Amino acid sequence: MFAIVIAVLAAAPAVAGTVHIAMKDVAFSPAKIAAKVGDTVEWANKDFVAHTATARDGSFNVDLAASKTGRTVLKKAGKVEYYCRYHPTMKAEIDVSK
Amino acid sequence: MKLATLFCAAAFACSVAGPSLAQGTKPTDPQIAHIAYTAGQLDIKAAQQALDKSKNQQVRAFAQDMVRDHTSVNDQALALCKKLGVTPEDNDTSKNLVKDADAYRAKLASLSGAAFDKAYAEHEVAYHHQVNGALESTLIPSASNGELKSLLQTGLKIFKGHEEHARSLASSLK
Ligand SMILES: [Cu+2]
């Protein structure tokens, strides 16, 4: 049963999906995640203060008030490091593959 | 009486050493709430001074961030106090924080331009560092209510973010 599920997953064509990341307790969770070009990344701010998801390479800057959700579409492959401009102790990365 | 003595002793030590948060004392929840709330209000006042005086966009953006975040944290603190039936209680640690902050604002009032920006940013680093140290060493361990402790812990994470932000602001102004 397990083997079948894995085989089906492996054989499935790459369909653009959505990757969910929480901003919770002043941290990105998960802090490291894999995604594919074309995927949408959605951040949900679960805190009572604003946060940003700001790419170090400038490829995205999502500014979210408390309890808001925002997204970006990943356009190129490679590792993107990002952080919160308001609380730069918040750091994370997305490993984007083709 | 005993607490008052401890706070006075700490206040004396601090007036010599500079920082004014009591170390090694065990404040009550109403006092902790008052200290944490006061620390936030003082950072908002400092930010308002920066918004009045500074023309530097980075400094102004930082000050706006401080007003926004400390207002949010203090709103949470007030709501929690109301829910728990805790009335924040003034104390010597809070009084010393106010006294130090008033003195520093008066000092900054005489500065302008880049000198003001640099002094404000550097003071924000030192101030957050001092408050974060007090949260870690005294206020969080002393808090007896679990929800208050948890809010202070979240506050600490937010303020550590501010300290780092202030540090990068200060180094960019050099
Ligand atoms: Cu943040």
PDB file of all heavy atoms in Angstrom, chain B residues 29-66:
ATOM      1  N   ASP B  29       3.747  39.849  40.053  1.00  0.00           N
ATOM      2  CA  ASP B  29       3.139  39.968  38.721  1.00  0.00           C
ATOM      3  C   ASP B  29       2.635  41.390  38.427  1.00  0.00           C
ATOM      4  O   ASP B  29       2.882  41.895  37.320  1.00  0.00           O
ATOM      5  CB  ASP B  29       2.017  38.927  38.535  1.00  0.00           C
ATOM      6  CG  ASP B  29       2.589  37.530  38.242  1.00  0.00           C
ATOM      7  OD1 ASP B  29       3.829  37.375  38.252  1.00  0.00           O
ATOM      8  OD2 ASP B  29       1.789  36.606  38.000  1.00  0.00           O
ATOM      9  N   PRO B  30       1.927  42.055  39.372  1.00  0.00           N
ATOM     10  CA  PRO B  30       1.490  43.427  39.081  1.00  0.00           C
ATOM     11  C   PRO B  30       2.673  44.377  38.830  1.00  0.00           C
ATOM     12  O   PRO B  30       2.589  45.292  38.012  1.00  0.00           O
ATOM     13  CB  PRO B  30       0.721  43.838  40.349  1.00  0.00           C
ATOM     14  CG  PRO B  30       0.242  42.550  40.927  1.00  0.00           C
ATOM     15  CD  PRO B  30       1.341  41.560  40.638  1.00  0.00           C
ATOM     16  N   GLN B  31       3.783  44.139  39.511  1.00  0.00           N
ATOM     17  CA  GLN B  31       4.976  44.974  39.289  1.00  0.00           C
ATOM     18  C   GLN B  31       5.629  44.627  37.953  1.00  0.00           C
ATOM     19  O   GLN B  31       6.056  45.524  37.209  1.00  0.00           O
ATOM     20  CB  GLN B  31       5.978  44.768  40.435  1.00  0.00           C
ATOM     21  CG  GLN B  31       5.484  45.384  41.748  1.00  0.00           C
ATOM     22  CD  GLN B  31       6.367  45.034  42.924  1.00  0.00           C
ATOM     23  OE1 GLN B  31       6.975  43.957  42.954  1.00  0.00           O
ATOM     24  NE2 GLN B  31       6.431  45.919  43.898  1.00  0.00           N
ATOM     25  N   ILE B  32       5.704  43.330  37.647  1.00  0.00           N
ATOM     26  CA  ILE B  32       6.290  42.895  36.367  1.00  0.00           C
ATOM     27  C   ILE B  32       5.504  43.497  35.206  1.00  0.00           C
ATOM     28  O   ILE B  32       6.086  44.031  34.252  1.00  0.00           O
ATOM     29  CB  ILE B  32       6.289  41.355  36.277  1.00  0.00           C
ATOM     30  CG1 ILE B  32       7.286  40.771  37.272  1.00  0.00           C
ATOM     31  CG2 ILE B  32       6.617  40.890  34.858  1.00  0.00           C
ATOM     32  CD1 ILE B  32       7.141  39.275  37.496  1.00  0.00           C
ATOM     33  N   ALA B  33       4.176  43.421  35.308  1.00  0.00           N
ATOM     34  CA  ALA B  33       3.325  43.973  34.246  1.00  0.00           C
ATOM     35  C   ALA B  33       3.604  45.468  34.086  1.00  0.00           C
ATOM     36  O   ALA B  33       3.718  45.979  32.966  1.00  0.00           O
ATOM     37  CB  ALA B  33       1.847  43.737  34.578  1.00  0.00           C
ATOM     38  N   HIS B  34       3.756  46.170  35.217  1.00  0.00           N
ATOM     39  CA  HIS B  34       4.007  47.609  35.167  1.00  0.00           C
ATOM     40  C   HIS B  34       5.364  47.915  34.539  1.00  0.00           C
ATOM     41  O   HIS B  34       5.494  48.832  33.723  1.00  0.00           O
ATOM     42  CB  HIS B  34       3.921  48.202  36.580  1.00  0.00           C
ATOM     43  CG  HIS B  34       3.785  49.702  36.587  1.00  0.00           C
ATOM     44  ND1 HIS B  34       4.859  50.539  36.409  1.00  0.00           N
ATOM     45  CD2 HIS B  34       2.692  50.508  36.712  1.00  0.00           C
ATOM     46  CE1 HIS B  34       4.433  51.792  36.439  1.00  0.00           C
ATOM     47  NE2 HIS B  34       3.127  51.807  36.617  1.00  0.00           N
ATOM     48  N   ILE B  35       6.366  47.150  34.915  1.00  0.00           N
ATOM     49  CA  ILE B  35       7.720  47.360  34.370  1.00  0.00           C
ATOM     50  C   ILE B  35       7.734  47.123  32.855  1.00  0.00           C
ATOM     51  O   ILE B  35       8.248  47.942  32.091  1.00  0.00           O
ATOM     52  CB  ILE B  35       8.748  46.437  35.070  1.00  0.00           C
ATOM     53  CG1 ILE B  35       8.889  46.815  36.556  1.00  0.00           C
ATOM     54  CG2 ILE B  35      10.108  46.495  34.371  1.00  0.00           C
ATOM     55  CD1 ILE B  35       9.601  45.751  37.403  1.00  0.00           C
ATOM     56  N   ALA B  36       7.130  46.003  32.431  1.00  0.00           N
ATOM     57  CA  ALA B  36       7.139  45.658  30.999  1.00  0.00           C
ATOM     58  C   ALA B  36       6.366  46.713  30.199  1.00  0.00           C
ATOM     59  O   ALA B  36       6.816  47.158  29.135  1.00  0.00           O
ATOM     60  CB  ALA B  36       6.532  44.272  30.792  1.00  0.00           C
ATOM     61  N   TYR B  37       5.217  47.128  30.731  1.00  0.00           N
ATOM     62  CA  TYR B  37       4.393  48.127  30.041  1.00  0.00           C
ATOM     63  C   TYR B  37       5.140  49.461  29.952  1.00  0.00           C
ATOM     64  O   TYR B  37       5.188  50.101  28.899  1.00  0.00           O
ATOM     65  CB  TYR B  37       3.065  48.312  30.792  1.00  0.00           C
ATOM     66  CG  TYR B  37       2.092  49.207  30.080  1.00  0.00           C
ATOM     67  CD1 TYR B  37       1.246  48.698  29.093  1.00  0.00           C
ATOM     68  CD2 TYR B  37       2.025  50.573  30.381  1.00  0.00           C
ATOM     69  CE1 TYR B  37       0.359  49.525  28.429  1.00  0.00           C
ATOM     70  CE2 TYR B  37       1.135  51.400  29.701  1.00  0.00           C
ATOM     71  CZ  TYR B  37       0.302  50.873  28.732  1.00  0.00           C
ATOM     72  OH  TYR B  37      -0.564  51.690  28.069  1.00  0.00           O
ATOM     73  N   THR B  38       5.752  49.863  31.057  1.00  0.00           N
ATOM     74  CA  THR B  38       6.498  51.126  31.105  1.00  0.00           C
ATOM     75  C   THR B  38       7.661  51.107  30.118  1.00  0.00           C
ATOM     76  O   THR B  38       7.888  52.080  29.392  1.00  0.00           O
ATOM     77  CB  THR B  38       7.030  51.376  32.539  1.00  0.00           C
ATOM     78  OG1 THR B  38       5.914  51.405  33.434  1.00  0.00           O
ATOM     79  CG2 THR B  38       7.792  52.684  32.634  1.00  0.00           C
ATOM     80  N   ALA B  39       8.378  49.993  30.083  1.00  0.00           N
ATOM     81  CA  ALA B  39       9.516  49.886  29.158  1.00  0.00           C
ATOM     82  C   ALA B  39       9.047  50.102  27.722  1.00  0.00           C
ATOM     83  O   ALA B  39       9.712  50.780  26.939  1.00  0.00           O
ATOM     84  CB  ALA B  39      10.196  48.525  29.312  1.00  0.00           C
ATOM     85  N   GLY B  40       7.884  49.549  27.389  1.00  0.00           N
ATOM     86  CA  GLY B  40       7.332  49.721  26.045  1.00  0.00           C
ATOM     87  C   GLY B  40       6.920  51.162  25.775  1.00  0.00           C
ATOM     88  O   GLY B  40       7.234  51.719  24.718  1.00  0.00           O
ATOM     89  N   GLN B  41       6.229  51.772  26.747  1.00  0.00           N
ATOM     90  CA  GLN B  41       5.785  53.166  26.576  1.00  0.00           C
ATOM     91  C   GLN B  41       6.975  54.099  26.388  1.00  0.00           C
ATOM     92  O   GLN B  41       6.922  55.045  25.608  1.00  0.00           O
ATOM     93  CB  GLN B  41       4.956  53.628  27.786  1.00  0.00           C
ATOM     94  CG  GLN B  41       3.598  52.966  27.904  1.00  0.00           C
ATOM     95  CD  GLN B  41       2.752  53.143  26.646  1.00  0.00           C
ATOM     96  OE1 GLN B  41       2.581  52.206  25.873  1.00  0.00           O
ATOM     97  NE2 GLN B  41       2.240  54.342  26.422  1.00  0.00           N
ATOM     98  N   LEU B  42       8.061  53.818  27.106  1.00  0.00           N
ATOM     99  CA  LEU B  42       9.246  54.680  26.999  1.00  0.00           C
ATOM    100  C   LEU B  42       9.900  54.553  25.634  1.00  0.00           C
ATOM    101  O   LEU B  42      10.402  55.541  25.081  1.00  0.00           O
ATOM    102  CB  LEU B  42      10.242  54.345  28.121  1.00  0.00           C
ATOM    103  CG  LEU B  42       9.741  54.702  29.528  1.00  0.00           C
ATOM    104  CD1 LEU B  42      10.693  54.163  30.578  1.00  0.00           C
ATOM    105  CD2 LEU B  42       9.553  56.216  29.673  1.00  0.00           C
ATOM    106  N   ASP B  43       9.861  53.347  25.059  1.00  0.00           N
ATOM    107  CA  ASP B  43      10.441  53.202  23.732  1.00  0.00           C
ATOM    108  C   ASP B  43       9.567  53.897  22.683  1.00  0.00           C
ATOM    109  O   ASP B  43      10.075  54.416  21.688  1.00  0.00           O
ATOM    110  CB  ASP B  43      10.660  51.728  23.370  1.00  0.00           C
ATOM    111  CG  ASP B  43      11.702  51.601  22.276  1.00  0.00           C
ATOM    112  OD1 ASP B  43      12.779  52.221  22.415  1.00  0.00           O
ATOM    113  OD2 ASP B  43      11.428  50.929  21.255  1.00  0.00           O
ATOM    114  N   ILE B  44       8.258  53.912  22.926  1.00  0.00           N
ATOM    115  CA  ILE B  44       7.347  54.645  22.034  1.00  0.00           C
ATOM    116  C   ILE B  44       7.644  56.153  22.119  1.00  0.00           C
ATOM    117  O   ILE B  44       7.719  56.839  21.093  1.00  0.00           O
ATOM    118  CB  ILE B  44       5.869  54.353  22.394  1.00  0.00           C
ATOM    119  CG1 ILE B  44       5.526  52.896  22.042  1.00  0.00           C
ATOM    120  CG2 ILE B  44       4.925  55.326  21.679  1.00  0.00           C
ATOM    121  CD1 ILE B  44       4.172  52.415  22.555  1.00  0.00           C
ATOM    122  N   LYS B  45       7.867  56.660  23.333  1.00  0.00           N
ATOM    123  CA  LYS B  45       8.202  58.092  23.494  1.00  0.00           C
ATOM    124  C   LYS B  45       9.505  58.427  22.779  1.00  0.00           C
ATOM    125  O   LYS B  45       9.621  59.471  22.131  1.00  0.00           O
ATOM    126  CB  LYS B  45       8.367  58.420  24.984  1.00  0.00           C
ATOM    127  CG  LYS B  45       7.092  58.850  25.668  1.00  0.00           C
ATOM    128  CD  LYS B  45       7.447  59.506  27.007  1.00  0.00           C
ATOM    129  CE  LYS B  45       6.236  60.090  27.691  1.00  0.00           C
ATOM    130  NZ  LYS B  45       6.590  60.737  28.974  1.00  0.00           N
ATOM    131  N   ALA B  46      10.482  57.540  22.908  1.00  0.00           N
ATOM    132  CA  ALA B  46      11.769  57.760  22.230  1.00  0.00           C
ATOM    133  C   ALA B  46      11.550  57.802  20.722  1.00  0.00           C
ATOM    134  O   ALA B  46      12.128  58.639  20.012  1.00  0.00           O
ATOM    135  CB  ALA B  46      12.754  56.649  22.607  1.00  0.00           C
ATOM    136  N   ALA B  47      10.703  56.893  20.236  1.00  0.00           N
ATOM    137  CA  ALA B  47      10.426  56.834  18.794  1.00  0.00           C
ATOM    138  C   ALA B  47       9.704  58.105  18.338  1.00  0.00           C
ATOM    139  O   ALA B  47       9.977  58.628  17.252  1.00  0.00           O
ATOM    140  CB  ALA B  47       9.583  55.597  18.483  1.00  0.00           C
ATOM    141  N   GLN B  48       8.789  58.604  19.179  1.00  0.00           N
ATOM    142  CA  GLN B  48       8.069  59.826  18.804  1.00  0.00           C
ATOM    143  C   GLN B  48       9.020  61.011  18.712  1.00  0.00           C
ATOM    144  O   GLN B  48       8.889  61.862  17.832  1.00  0.00           O
ATOM    145  CB  GLN B  48       6.923  60.090  19.789  1.00  0.00           C
ATOM    146  CG  GLN B  48       5.751  59.144  19.502  1.00  0.00           C
ATOM    147  CD  GLN B  48       4.770  59.020  20.645  1.00  0.00           C
ATOM    148  OE1 GLN B  48       5.083  59.375  21.789  1.00  0.00           O
ATOM    149  NE2 GLN B  48       3.589  58.495  20.354  1.00  0.00           N
ATOM    150  N   GLN B  49      10.011  61.041  19.597  1.00  0.00           N
ATOM    151  CA  GLN B  49      11.026  62.095  19.510  1.00  0.00           C
ATOM    152  C   GLN B  49      11.793  61.970  18.186  1.00  0.00           C
ATOM    153  O   GLN B  49      12.059  62.974  17.514  1.00  0.00           O
ATOM    154  CB  GLN B  49      12.000  62.008  20.695  1.00  0.00           C
ATOM    155  CG  GLN B  49      13.015  63.151  20.700  1.00  0.00           C
ATOM    156  CD  GLN B  49      14.024  63.031  21.817  1.00  0.00           C
ATOM    157  OE1 GLN B  49      14.503  61.928  22.122  1.00  0.00           O
ATOM    158  NE2 GLN B  49      14.364  64.144  22.442  1.00  0.00           N
ATOM    159  N   ALA B  50      12.134  60.730  17.827  1.00  0.00           N
ATOM    160  CA  ALA B  50      12.867  60.511  16.572  1.00  0.00           C
ATOM    161  C   ALA B  50      12.017  60.938  15.375  1.00  0.00           C
ATOM    162  O   ALA B  50      12.526  61.536  14.421  1.00  0.00           O
ATOM    163  CB  ALA B  50      13.273  59.043  16.450  1.00  0.00           C
ATOM    164  N   LEU B  51      10.712  60.660  15.447  1.00  0.00           N
ATOM    165  CA  LEU B  51       9.828  61.048  14.337  1.00  0.00           C
ATOM    166  C   LEU B  51       9.674  62.564  14.258  1.00  0.00           C
ATOM    167  O   LEU B  51       9.494  63.123  13.177  1.00  0.00           O
ATOM    168  CB  LEU B  51       8.464  60.362  14.472  1.00  0.00           C
ATOM    169  CG  LEU B  51       8.500  58.843  14.231  1.00  0.00           C
ATOM    170  CD1 LEU B  51       7.183  58.186  14.614  1.00  0.00           C
ATOM    171  CD2 LEU B  51       8.852  58.522  12.775  1.00  0.00           C
ATOM    172  N   ASP B  52       9.790  63.245  15.398  1.00  0.00           N
ATOM    173  CA  ASP B  52       9.748  64.705  15.410  1.00  0.00           C
ATOM    174  C   ASP B  52      11.024  65.305  14.837  1.00  0.00           C
ATOM    175  O   ASP B  52      10.992  66.325  14.166  1.00  0.00           O
ATOM    176  CB  ASP B  52       9.609  65.240  16.854  1.00  0.00           C
ATOM    177  CG  ASP B  52       8.185  65.103  17.370  1.00  0.00           C
ATOM    178  OD1 ASP B  52       7.272  64.903  16.542  1.00  0.00           O
ATOM    179  OD2 ASP B  52       7.998  65.180  18.602  1.00  0.00           O
ATOM    180  N   LYS B  53      12.163  64.668  15.147  1.00  0.00           N
ATOM    181  CA  LYS B  53      13.445  65.303  14.857  1.00  0.00           C
ATOM    182  C   LYS B  53      14.175  64.791  13.612  1.00  0.00           C
ATOM    183  O   LYS B  53      14.929  65.550  12.994  1.00  0.00           O
ATOM    184  CB  LYS B  53      14.388  65.145  16.071  1.00  0.00           C
ATOM    185  CG  LYS B  53      13.939  65.960  17.282  1.00  0.00           C
ATOM    186  CD  LYS B  53      14.914  65.800  18.438  1.00  0.00           C
ATOM    187  CE  LYS B  53      16.259  66.422  18.181  1.00  0.00           C
ATOM    188  NZ  LYS B  53      16.335  67.831  18.632  1.00  0.00           N
ATOM    189  N   SER B  54      14.032  63.512  13.302  1.00  0.00           N
ATOM    190  CA  SER B  54      14.886  62.946  12.269  1.00  0.00           C
ATOM    191  C   SER B  54      14.320  63.100  10.869  1.00  0.00           C
ATOM    192  O   SER B  54      13.102  63.010  10.663  1.00  0.00           O
ATOM    193  CB  SER B  54      15.133  61.463  12.547  1.00  0.00           C
ATOM    194  OG  SER B  54      15.974  60.930  11.540  1.00  0.00           O
ATOM    195  N   LYS B  55      15.219  63.296   9.903  1.00  0.00           N
ATOM    196  CA  LYS B  55      14.811  63.340   8.502  1.00  0.00           C
ATOM    197  C   LYS B  55      15.347  62.123   7.768  1.00  0.00           C
ATOM    198  O   LYS B  55      15.130  61.970   6.568  1.00  0.00           O
ATOM    199  CB  LYS B  55      15.321  64.630   7.856  1.00  0.00           C
ATOM    200  CG  LYS B  55      14.601  65.854   8.396  1.00  0.00           C
ATOM    201  CD  LYS B  55      14.976  67.115   7.632  1.00  0.00           C
ATOM    202  CE  LYS B  55      14.060  68.273   7.968  1.00  0.00           C
ATOM    203  NZ  LYS B  55      14.057  68.590   9.421  1.00  0.00           N
ATOM    204  N   ASN B  56      16.068  61.264   8.497  1.00  0.00           N
ATOM    205  CA  ASN B  56      16.642  60.062   7.880  1.00  0.00           C
ATOM    206  C   ASN B  56      15.554  58.992   7.707  1.00  0.00           C
ATOM    207  O   ASN B  56      14.908  58.598   8.682  1.00  0.00           O
ATOM    208  CB  ASN B  56      17.784  59.559   8.783  1.00  0.00           C
ATOM    209  CG  ASN B  56      18.448  58.315   8.214  1.00  0.00           C
ATOM    210  OD1 ASN B  56      17.818  57.295   8.027  1.00  0.00           O
ATOM    211  ND2 ASN B  56      19.748  58.427   7.949  1.00  0.00           N
ATOM    212  N   GLN B  57      15.357  58.549   6.476  1.00  0.00           N
ATOM    213  CA  GLN B  57      14.255  57.615   6.190  1.00  0.00           C
ATOM    214  C   GLN B  57      14.369  56.292   6.954  1.00  0.00           C
ATOM    215  O   GLN B  57      13.373  55.743   7.410  1.00  0.00           O
ATOM    216  CB  GLN B  57      14.143  57.341   4.676  1.00  0.00           C
ATOM    217  CG  GLN B  57      13.449  58.471   3.912  1.00  0.00           C
ATOM    218  CD  GLN B  57      12.181  58.990   4.612  1.00  0.00           C
ATOM    219  OE1 GLN B  57      11.262  58.213   4.927  1.00  0.00           O
ATOM    220  NE2 GLN B  57      12.126  60.287   4.907  1.00  0.00           N
ATOM    221  N   GLN B  58      15.605  55.788   7.068  1.00  0.00           N
ATOM    222  CA  GLN B  58      15.805  54.522   7.794  1.00  0.00           C
ATOM    223  C   GLN B  58      15.473  54.682   9.270  1.00  0.00           C
ATOM    224  O   GLN B  58      14.881  53.805   9.884  1.00  0.00           O
ATOM    225  CB  GLN B  58      17.275  54.112   7.709  1.00  0.00           C
ATOM    226  CG  GLN B  58      17.668  53.350   6.476  1.00  0.00           C
ATOM    227  CD  GLN B  58      19.130  52.959   6.606  1.00  0.00           C
ATOM    228  OE1 GLN B  58      19.994  53.833   6.510  1.00  0.00           O
ATOM    229  NE2 GLN B  58      19.399  51.694   6.850  1.00  0.00           N
ATOM    230  N   VAL B  59      15.910  55.805   9.832  1.00  0.00           N
ATOM    231  CA  VAL B  59      15.654  56.081  11.252  1.00  0.00           C
ATOM    232  C   VAL B  59      14.153  56.229  11.484  1.00  0.00           C
ATOM    233  O   VAL B  59      13.591  55.673  12.437  1.00  0.00           O
ATOM    234  CB  VAL B  59      16.420  57.347  11.708  1.00  0.00           C
ATOM    235  CG1 VAL B  59      15.985  57.792  13.095  1.00  0.00           C
ATOM    236  CG2 VAL B  59      17.929  57.091  11.672  1.00  0.00           C
ATOM    237  N   ARG B  60      13.496  56.952  10.586  1.00  0.00           N
ATOM    238  CA  ARG B  60      12.049  57.163  10.726  1.00  0.00           C
ATOM    239  C   ARG B  60      11.283  55.849  10.595  1.00  0.00           C
ATOM    240  O   ARG B  60      10.351  55.596  11.360  1.00  0.00           O
ATOM    241  CB  ARG B  60      11.552  58.173   9.686  1.00  0.00           C
ATOM    242  CG  ARG B  60      12.160  59.572   9.863  1.00  0.00           C
ATOM    243  CD  ARG B  60      11.581  60.573   8.867  1.00  0.00           C
ATOM    244  NE  ARG B  60      10.149  60.733   9.075  1.00  0.00           N
ATOM    245  CZ  ARG B  60       9.622  61.525  10.018  1.00  0.00           C
ATOM    246  NH1 ARG B  60      10.415  62.232  10.795  1.00  0.00           N
ATOM    247  NH2 ARG B  60       8.323  61.609  10.155  1.00  0.00           N
ATOM    248  N   ALA B  61      11.723  55.007   9.645  1.00  0.00           N
ATOM    249  CA  ALA B  61      11.054  53.712   9.466  1.00  0.00           C
ATOM    250  C   ALA B  61      11.230  52.854  10.722  1.00  0.00           C
ATOM    251  O   ALA B  61      10.279  52.219  11.190  1.00  0.00           O
ATOM    252  CB  ALA B  61      11.615  52.989   8.242  1.00  0.00           C
ATOM    253  N   PHE B  62      12.437  52.873  11.269  1.00  0.00           N
ATOM    254  CA  PHE B  62      12.686  52.105  12.499  1.00  0.00           C
ATOM    255  C   PHE B  62      11.790  52.619  13.632  1.00  0.00           C
ATOM    256  O   PHE B  62      11.176  51.834  14.360  1.00  0.00           O
ATOM    257  CB  PHE B  62      14.172  52.201  12.897  1.00  0.00           C
ATOM    258  CG  PHE B  62      14.486  51.509  14.200  1.00  0.00           C
ATOM    259  CD1 PHE B  62      14.757  50.151  14.236  1.00  0.00           C
ATOM    260  CD2 PHE B  62      14.481  52.217  15.402  1.00  0.00           C
ATOM    261  CE1 PHE B  62      15.017  49.495  15.442  1.00  0.00           C
ATOM    262  CE2 PHE B  62      14.736  51.574  16.607  1.00  0.00           C
ATOM    263  CZ  PHE B  62      15.012  50.214  16.632  1.00  0.00           C
ATOM    264  N   ALA B  63      11.727  53.938  13.776  1.00  0.00           N
ATOM    265  CA  ALA B  63      10.921  54.525  14.850  1.00  0.00           C
ATOM    266  C   ALA B  63       9.444  54.148  14.678  1.00  0.00           C
ATOM    267  O   ALA B  63       8.756  53.824  15.658  1.00  0.00           O
ATOM    268  CB  ALA B  63      11.090  56.046  14.864  1.00  0.00           C
ATOM    269  N   GLN B  64       8.974  54.148  13.431  1.00  0.00           N
ATOM    270  CA  GLN B  64       7.584  53.739  13.181  1.00  0.00           C
ATOM    271  C   GLN B  64       7.365  52.272  13.554  1.00  0.00           C
ATOM    272  O   GLN B  64       6.321  51.920  14.116  1.00  0.00           O
ATOM    273  CB  GLN B  64       7.204  53.985  11.709  1.00  0.00           C
ATOM    274  CG  GLN B  64       6.706  55.409  11.496  1.00  0.00           C
ATOM    275  CD  GLN B  64       6.882  55.911  10.082  1.00  0.00           C
ATOM    276  OE1 GLN B  64       7.429  55.201   9.223  1.00  0.00           O
ATOM    277  NE2 GLN B  64       6.448  57.127   9.825  1.00  0.00           N
ATOM    278  N   ASP B  65       8.376  51.445  13.256  1.00  0.00           N
ATOM    279  CA  ASP B  65       8.280  50.023  13.642  1.00  0.00           C
ATOM    280  C   ASP B  65       8.169  49.893  15.162  1.00  0.00           C
ATOM    281  O   ASP B  65       7.416  49.060  15.676  1.00  0.00           O
ATOM    282  CB  ASP B  65       9.524  49.241  13.179  1.00  0.00           C
ATOM    283  CG  ASP B  65       9.637  49.158  11.666  1.00  0.00           C
ATOM    284  OD1 ASP B  65       8.624  49.407  10.973  1.00  0.00           O
ATOM    285  OD2 ASP B  65      10.738  48.850  11.173  1.00  0.00           O
ATOM    286  N   MET B  66       8.942  50.706  15.880  1.00  0.00           N
ATOM    287  CA  MET B  66       8.924  50.639  17.351  1.00  0.00           C
ATOM    288  C   MET B  66       7.553  51.054  17.896  1.00  0.00           C
ATOM    289  O   MET B  66       7.024  50.410  18.798  1.00  0.00           O
ATOM    290  CB  MET B  66      10.008  51.530  17.969  1.00  0.00           C
ATOM    291  CG  MET B  66      11.444  51.084  17.696  1.00  0.00           C
ATOM    292  SD  MET B  66      11.773  49.379  18.171  1.00  0.00           S
ATOM    293  CE  MET B  66      11.810  48.593  16.576  1.00  0.00           C
TER     294      MET B  66
END
